[in-house]
Amino acid sequence: MDRRVIGVETEFGITHTGGTHRGLPPDEVARYLFRPVLRWGRSSNVFIPNASRLYLDVGSHPEYATAECDDLLDLIASDRAGELIMHDLAQRAEAAMAQDGFDGSIYLVKNNVDSQGNSYGSHENYLIPRTTHFRRLSTILLPFLVTRQIMVGAGRLVPATDETPAHYAFSQRADHMWEGISSATTRSRPIINTRDEPHSDAAVHRRLHVIVGDSNMSETTSLLRYGATDLVLRMVESGVPVGDFELENPIGAIRHISHDITGQAVVKIRNGGQQTAVEIQARLLDRARRFVRENGAHHDRVDAIFELWERTLQAVASGEHAPIERDIDWAIKKRLLTDVAERGGLPMGHPKLEQLDMAYHDVHPTRGVFNLLAARGRASTQLEPERIQRAIVDPPATTRAALRGRFLSTARAVGAEHTVDWVHHKLVDRPLDALMLKDPLSAEDPRVDTLLGRLGERVASLREQSLQERRAQELPLALSERYKLEQPRELAEPPLI
Amino acid sequence: MSTQPQKRPQGGNDDGGAPEAAATAGANAQAQKRAGELDSLLDEIDSVLESNAEEFVKGFVQKGGE
């Protein structure tokens, strides 16, 4: 697919510390966190004006699912906006809790493991054609996903156990995957989840649900993660030969690779032989380059993705990580932990280092350690801060998200009861006119204009508010009203009562 | 920090012969500047982290998600 819809769902860890009391448990903090959401949408599971979804998930995890994006930078901007939205909610929750006598600090942590080894996810969704041969897909995609962690893993300081000393691993999630492919998520976590809810025309599309990824802090790492995966999917869809890397034991392999930061771990290929993750990725990179030479680049970041892909593989293969220490999450974090350990003479596994491992993922703009590194130029970025701010309020302009955003903000502005989800758009007073928008790649649909037209002339007098006006509203910015009803200059007729 | 010892280029650790003295001095100055920047960064990070690391880590417990 030349244009592909991609979305990512992030579950955040949440904790509360300090103050005069013991911190509140996560479910209570989450309740405070979602108070403004509940007030705004009468539910803790809502679609918000930027067309993303904000909700409390299983286990009291605050979760943010980006709207449909067909542009990698839109996707990264929406995901980063999710961090800022959570931060905004956290600040309000802190204030509300303080009023109730619970002072202290809320931490929202965009990582995937807590201190007891509970895991929560970062789920990627890729729209693929229904015609994609699933066996071919899994044969190519599984080895790619198992080895992808050496490029886009978020890194983890693994505490000591009876068998192994504390050490640094590529991935947060690798130890929490139990199957290659299945339909479960909480019971047994598969790398690829076959739950097939395309949120589109099921005759045409399938939704590929990948749950093996780590939550990324780095925009650069994110670009490589989604960009490389999309390129591999393109090759799968086109039918070109991609080589045979099918692994004998994907789950054994994913752990084995994660725990050997030297990148020398070898894994068994089903058809015989052994390879390192670097070797498998290097061959996929080579194929992808050839594919793009022959078929052309489908967006303007392809060269940047190839350059990052290659540079990261070289860094892992050589053990010389300096060239990726600003760009790749696991390497950025490892550099920091190394510096702190050296300066303080701390042994691996010291609580201070474990704390830093978590604090790296703190979404707080001036407390989160990744954000501190980025502010000092020790971590690269891809987006202007203004673009991320806009993504808090603006839906992506080129997909169905634009329609959902306009629909829900318009209905709110005129006070019309409505319901929306990924596909459905309904005005409660006009149930027979409910719309199903089944093409996630379409940002225009006259039926939406017709339906909104039914709300009367007031719709024509709506004015879009500026970012500044929206910031001035009392609501969290992400929930601020997009449109304002302009008072008509003169009332033609007194209203009939 | 890693399980493998990392090679890191670091200016100013060798004795350097006379011809390289100027270059070494330059590298020294640069290394010092970098070390200063790093110190200030690590100090900043120290100032924002919860002071009891162990308590913070132990308190960071979630229910499983997905």
Side-chain angles (χ1 to χ4, degrees):
Chain A
M1 296 176 86
D2 270 1
R3 277 180 75 213
R4 182 192 314 284
V5 162
I6 311 180
V8 59
E9 307 159 26
T10 304
E11 289 180 317
F12 293 81
I14 184 168
T15 191
H16 180 237
T17 65
T20 38
H21 302 270
R22 267 175 72 104
L24 289 184
D27 48 342
E28 288 193 41
V29 185
R31 255 200 301 280
Y32 274 103
L33 194 73
F34 270 67
R35 241 190 219 175
V37 179
L38 207 65
R39 207 175 297 136
W40 179 84
R42 280 173 291 163
S43 164
S44 56
N45 179 351
V46 296
F47 285 86
I48 61 176
N50 76 358
S52 303
R53 187 176 163 210
L54 187 61
Y55 49 118
L56 269 185
D57 198 32
V58 189
S60 294
H61 288 285
E63 180 155 346
Y64 174 82
T66 69
E68 306 89 332
C69 297
D70 70 343
D71 174 278
L72 294 174
L73 293 186
D74 278 352
L75 176 67
I76 297 166
S78 182
D79 181 54
R80 294 275 287 129
E83 297 172 22
L84 297 180
I85 292 169
M86 289 293 172
H87 173 65
D88 189 356
L89 293 175
Q91 292 214 299
R92 289 161 192 270
E94 265 180 20
M97 287 164 69
Q99 280 199 335
D100 292 351
F102 303 104
D103 50 350
S105 307
I106 295 176
Y107 286 78
L108 279 164
V109 185
K110 194 188 177 195
N111 73 348
N112 308 102
V113 198
D114 72 4
S115 64
Q116 295 192 346
N118 297 307
S119 185
Y120 33 96
S122 167
H123 298 180
E124 296 151 81
N125 298 289
Y126 299 89
L127 195 74
I128 60 175
R130 176 64 57 183
T131 50
T132 308
H133 193 277
F134 206 78
R135 169 85 186 125
R136 171 176 162 83
L137 176 76
S138 65
T139 308
I140 296 169
L141 199 61
L142 262 184
F144 169 74
L145 292 173
V146 164
T147 53
R148 185 183 69 162
Q149 57 176 314
I150 63 170
M151 310 192 300
V152 302
R156 182 181 175 218
L157 179 54
V158 182
T161 64
D162 292 344
E163 292 94 47
T164 52
H167 61 281
Y168 194 74
F170 284 112
S171 164
Q172 300 241 323
R173 288 279 278 174
D175 292 346
H176 302 277
M177 292 292 130
W178 298 98
E179 276 186 273
I181 299 183
S182 99
S183 62
T185 57
T186 39
R187 251 179 316 113
S188 102
R189 293 198 194 90
I191 292 168
I192 298 173
N193 179 275
T194 53
R195 179 175 70 183
D196 185 14
E197 300 161 348
H199 300 319
S200 65
D201 187 343
V204 184
H205 294 127
R206 179 191 272 280
R207 175 166 67 119
L208 177 70
H209 194 53
V210 173
I211 72 176
V212 70
D214 290 357
S215 295
N216 289 112
M217 298 304 293
S218 160
E219 294 164 9
T220 309
T221 311
S222 297
L223 180 67
L224 179 56
R225 172 187 182 185
Y226 307 120
T229 307
D230 167 59
L231 281 160
V232 170
L233 287 174
R234 273 172 73 81
M235 291 196 287
V236 170
E237 290 157 359
S238 75
V240 296
V242 180
D244 183 3
F245 316 98
E246 199 173 4
L247 301 170
E248 203 168 279
N249 176 358
I251 293 305
I254 201 170
R255 295 176 192 197
H256 188 43
I257 291 167
S258 177
H259 290 281
D260 187 351
I261 202 77
T262 70
Q264 303 303 309
V266 290
V267 294
K268 280 196 181 143
I269 308 294
R270 186 166 276 178
N271 282 351
Q274 311 193 92
Q275 294 199 21
T276 65
V278 170
E279 285 165 347
I280 292 172
Q281 283 291 334
R283 283 171 60 192
L284 285 164
L285 168 61
D286 191 48
R287 296 279 174 167
R289 278 195 158 130
R290 189 195 307 174
F291 180 80
V292 168
R293 268 199 308 275
E294 287 166 4
N295 297 276
H298 63 306
H299 60 73
D300 62 3
R301 315 297 295 181
V302 169
D303 283 342
I305 291 162
F306 282 150
E307 189 278 324
L308 258 174
W309 196 338
E310 179 170 6
R311 176 152 51 90
T312 306
L313 294 182
Q314 281 172 353
V316 174
S318 67
E320 180 56 70
H321 300 156
I324 56 170
E325 280 171 357
R326 290 180 69 248
D327 298 326
I328 298 297
D329 266 320
W330 65 259
I332 302 169
K333 197 202 286 179
K334 177 169 159 287
R335 166 85 271 143
L336 174 73
L337 295 189
T338 306
D339 288 339
V340 171
E342 280 176 1
R343 186 167 92 148
L346 307 177
M348 179 75 74
H350 189 280
K352 172 97 185 270
L353 301 180
E354 280 191 67
Q355 178 189 27
L356 264 178
D357 182 358
M358 292 169 182
Y360 179 86
H361 301 266
D362 177 359
V363 301
H364 194 298
T366 55
R367 183 186 66 195
V369 169
F370 173 83
N371 291 328
L372 291 176
L373 295 173
R376 289 182 178 242
R378 292 174 74 97
S380 63
T381 56
Q382 299 290 321
L383 301 167
E384 295 299 321
E386 173 67 12
R387 182 158 181 185
I388 303 170
Q389 287 291 319
R390 294 272 8 157
I392 295 175
V393 294
D394 292 342
T398 50
T399 68
R400 177 175 62 194
L403 292 168
R404 180 184 314 112
R406 188 154 65 87
F407 178 82
L408 77 88
S409 289
T410 304
R412 283 189 70 88
V414 299
E417 291 234 30
H418 60 284
T419 59
V420 290
D421 64 22
W422 296 110
V423 173
H424 298 88
H425 301 67
K426 185 166 91 174
L427 296 172
V428 171
D429 285 347
R430 297 189 159 267
L432 296 181
D433 294 333
L435 287 180
M436 284 180 78
L437 303 182
K438 287 164 82 168
D439 181 0
L441 284 161
S442 175
E444 282 173 29
D445 193 315
R447 292 175 301 161
V448 174
D449 302 295
T450 307
L451 183 55
L452 290 176
R454 302 248 153 85
L455 290 170
E457 293 191 355
R458 285 175 305 167
V459 170
S461 61
L462 292 180
R463 177 178 66 78
E464 180 148 6
Q465 308 202 63
S466 69
L467 196 56
Q468 200 180 2
E469 288 172 296
R470 295 181 70 169
R471 283 207 183 97
Q473 298 178 26
E474 258 178 51
L475 293 156
L477 179 59
L479 304 179
S480 63
E481 299 299 339
R482 174 169 167 186
Y483 299 115
K484 191 170 179 182
L485 207 50
E486 294 283 85
Q487 291 302 324
R489 291 241 166 70
E490 44 192 292
L491 288 172
E493 301 274 331
L496 293 173
I497 299 170
Chain B
M1 183 35 242
S2 96
T3 45
Q4 289 295 99
Q6 289 292 305
K7 262 193 286 175
R8 277 197 299 140
Q10 231 160 20
N13 280 349
D14 57 332
D15 291 331
E20 284 107 41
T24 308
N28 261 332
Q30 268 218 326
Q32 250 173 26
K33 182 162 171 278
R34 271 204 303 273
E37 283 169 5
L38 179 64
D39 273 343
S40 120
L41 167 72
L42 298 189
D43 287 342
E44 186 185 4
I45 290 175
D46 262 346
S47 73
V48 299
L49 289 184
E50 294 278 337
S51 51
N52 189 334
E54 200 163 355
E55 196 181 319
F56 178 84
V57 170
K58 279 196 181 141
F60 186 61
V61 177
Q62 311 293 303
K63 291 177 187 153
E66 323 283 335

